[in-house]
Every structure is written in structure tokens, then in C-alpha cells.
Amino acid sequence: MIPAAFEYYRPADMKGVIALLQEHGDDARVMAGGHSLIPMMKLRMADIPHLIDLQDVSELEGISVDGDTVRIGAMVTQHELINSAALAEAAPILKEASTQIADPQVRYMGTVGGNVANGDPANDMPGLMQCLDAQFTLLGPDGERTVAARDFYEAAFMTDREDDEVLISVSFKIPKGAHAYEKQKRKIGDYATAAAAVQITAEGGKVTSASIAMTNLSDTPILSEAAGEALVGSDCSGAALKAAVAAMQEDIDPTEDNRGPVEFKRHVAGIVLSRAIARAWSRT
Ligand code: FAD
């Protein structure tokens, strides 16, 4: 399939991007790596008369670690996340998750901004950002505002972002403790059947805090606070592990699709979470 005809714009800065969004309203859409948007246009599931390419906007680039805060520009690619020495040191869960996204060709193009702004429940970064309690910075005609990743997702492909706003960066405090990102997929290059992001802190052989988020098990990413609480005070074995998985099962709401029936997805969710907790615990 080829997409419907569209006008193509390549502004050099955010001022130009916002001006185009204001001029064309609902008929305009920004494009980052294009690896979610272009397939939708080719399948005629998205008809976009005015396409605004963000590739030349240098304000959206770069990874920085300043004090205890990590900031990632919206146009940073998954390939850059994997190869950033600063991120490997500050937040290694990003590399562990990014290497499990698609394949190298997609990761050369797919961006952090596109992945989190898209609102696709199958994308890996939204749950990961909820696990890290990240903040999303949006720029619109009235200036900047910040939204917590945990408040951003409303339904599948529906987020708190207004049509004339662009996500410019993602930031979060350097996570403490140990991490794991575990994903089950049908084959290399596929989206998750289920995935789990886990960050754990521990002291004296016991968990002091746990942040747990699940992917592709509802129409939004799921932060399971109850699952995290079930681990606190434990050594992540036996009853505590079972309680965490049971609490997570209460929070997710998978639906049947070509990745399997609901019962299978719940089973896979339990397996990926158990593995992620075990791996994170082994790293504490
Ligand atoms: P685009 O496709 O350019 O944009 C996606 C949407 O976000 C569009 O609606 C666009 O308007 C909007 N948008 C983009 N940037 C911004 C911004 N800065 N502000 C506001 N809105 C913005 N992803 C996974 O997470 N896990 C996978 O396993 C996975 N597998 C894949 C397999 C294949 C074969 C392919 C083609 C893609 C796969 N992806 C997967 C998706 C890939 O990671 C995408 O590239 C990513 O989700 C979207 O990023 P993008 O930069 O390509 O965004």
C-alpha cells in the first residue's frame, strides 16, 4: 500500500513546528522516526494531509545526566539509548529494554518521543517510563508543561497530549537499586505478548521499595503499585513473589488477539514478572 498524498515539512526549530501545528490544526501531525506512523499511513489507518518531520530540530536531541537527573531529548533513537555510556551507568534498565525492541533497523529510526507519545499499549517505553516515574515535557503554543508518565496514558492511542503540543523530552531521577526488563514475544522483531519493568531497592537482605510496570496487558501501560508493595520487607522469594504476581494480575486487563487468549497472556504476565523480580533481586 502507498499512503494518501500529503504535504511534507521539515522545520529547523520548535518555533517552526508549533507554527505549522497551529496553522494546520487536526490536519497536521509530527513525525519522528516514522516507524509507527508511516506503516499506519500506508495501511490508510492514518490520513495526514500535513506531515511535519522533526529530524532537523536539534532542540529535541541529546542525552544528559545532570546531578541526579537524566534528560533524554524526544528525538533520541533506541540505538542511541543502547550505546550511551552515560545511560548505561545512570539507568541501565533503558539499555536492557531497548535491546528487546524490534530489530537494529527499527532501533536506528525509532525514537523515545515517538515511542512514548504514540500511546500504543504494545510499545515498551511507556511502561518503562512509569516504572522510572519519569516526567514528560510538552511544548505547545502556550509554552511548556510537564506531565508524569504515570498520568499521561488515558486509553489506547489516547494520551494527555493536546494536538498542538509536541513532546520535547523525558526526564527522571537516576533510579536507585537494581533493575530488570523482561519481555516475552513471539519472534525477534515482534511487540510484547507481555513485558515487565522492575526497579528494586534493598537493605539488609530485604526489599525497601519496588516499582513494577507491565506492558501490553491492558489498553494503557499498568503501574502495579500493589505488586511493588507485596515485595517490600521480603527477600523476593516464596509467598512474597506469589503475592506480587497475584497483585499484578488484579491490575492488568488483557484482551484476546493474535498473541493469544486472555488466560495465556495472564500466564505469560506471571512468568515475565517472576523472572524480572528474580533478576532484579539477584542484582541488588
Ligand atoms: P513515529 O512513527 O514518527 O510517530 C509515532 C506517533 O507519535 C505519531 O502519531 C507521531 O505524530 C507521534 N510523535 C512522534 N514524536 C512525537 C513527539 N516528539 N511529540 C509528540 N508526538 C510525537 N516498539 C516497541 O516499543 N517495541 C517493539 O517491540 C517494537 N517492534 C516494532 C517492530 C517493527 C517491525 C516496527 C516497524 C516497529 C516496532 N516498534 C516497536 C515501534 C518502534 O519502536 C517505533 O519506532 C516507535 O514506537 C515510534 O517511534 P517513531 O520515532 O518511529 O515515531
Side-chain angles (χ1 to χ4, degrees), residues 54-129:
L54 299 177
Q55 292 288 341
D56 285 350
V57 183
S58 58
E59 296 139 274
L60 302 180
E61 290 168 7
I63 298 169
S64 66
V65 181
D66 187 8
D68 66 350
T69 303
V70 178
R71 181 192 175 280
I72 303 172
M75 287 299 284
V76 168
T77 63
Q78 293 144 10
H79 173 78
E80 289 174 276
L81 293 180
I82 291 169
N83 289 286
S84 161
L87 272 187
E89 172 81 22
I93 194 170
L94 280 167
K95 180 173 182 173
E96 189 159 296
S98 299
T99 52
Q100 297 180 59
I101 291 178
D103 52 47
Q105 285 165 305
V106 172
R107 298 196 295 255
Y108 276 122
M109 294 303 292
T111 65
V112 173
N115 201 296
V116 301
N118 198 19
D120 185 343
N123 280 353
D124 287 280
M125 297 270 159
L128 177 60
M129 294 304 165

Side-chain angles (χ1 to χ4, degrees), residues 126-141:
L128 177 60
M129 294 304 165
Q130 291 199 338
C131 174
L132 293 171
D133 197 11
Q135 304 291 314
F136 296 161
T137 302
L138 304 163
L139 179 69

Side-chain angles (χ1 to χ4, degrees), residues 2 14 27 38 47 56 58 62 65 67 76 87 103 113 140 146 154 160 163 193 202 223 267 270:
I2 55 167
M14 282 308 299
D27 284 343
I38 299 287
D47 180 9
D56 285 350
S58 58
V65 181
V76 168
L87 272 187
D103 52 47
T146 299
E154 296 170 348
D160 184 56
D163 286 344
T193 301
L223 178 82
H267 173 72

Side-chain angles (χ1 to χ4, degrees), residues 29-30 32-37 78 110-111 115 124 167 183 190-191:
R29 191 89 72 88
V30 295
H35 273 49
S36 288
L37 189 56
Q78 293 144 10
T111 65
N115 201 296
D124 287 280
L167 188 141
K183 174 172 173 176
D190 192 22
Y191 290 86

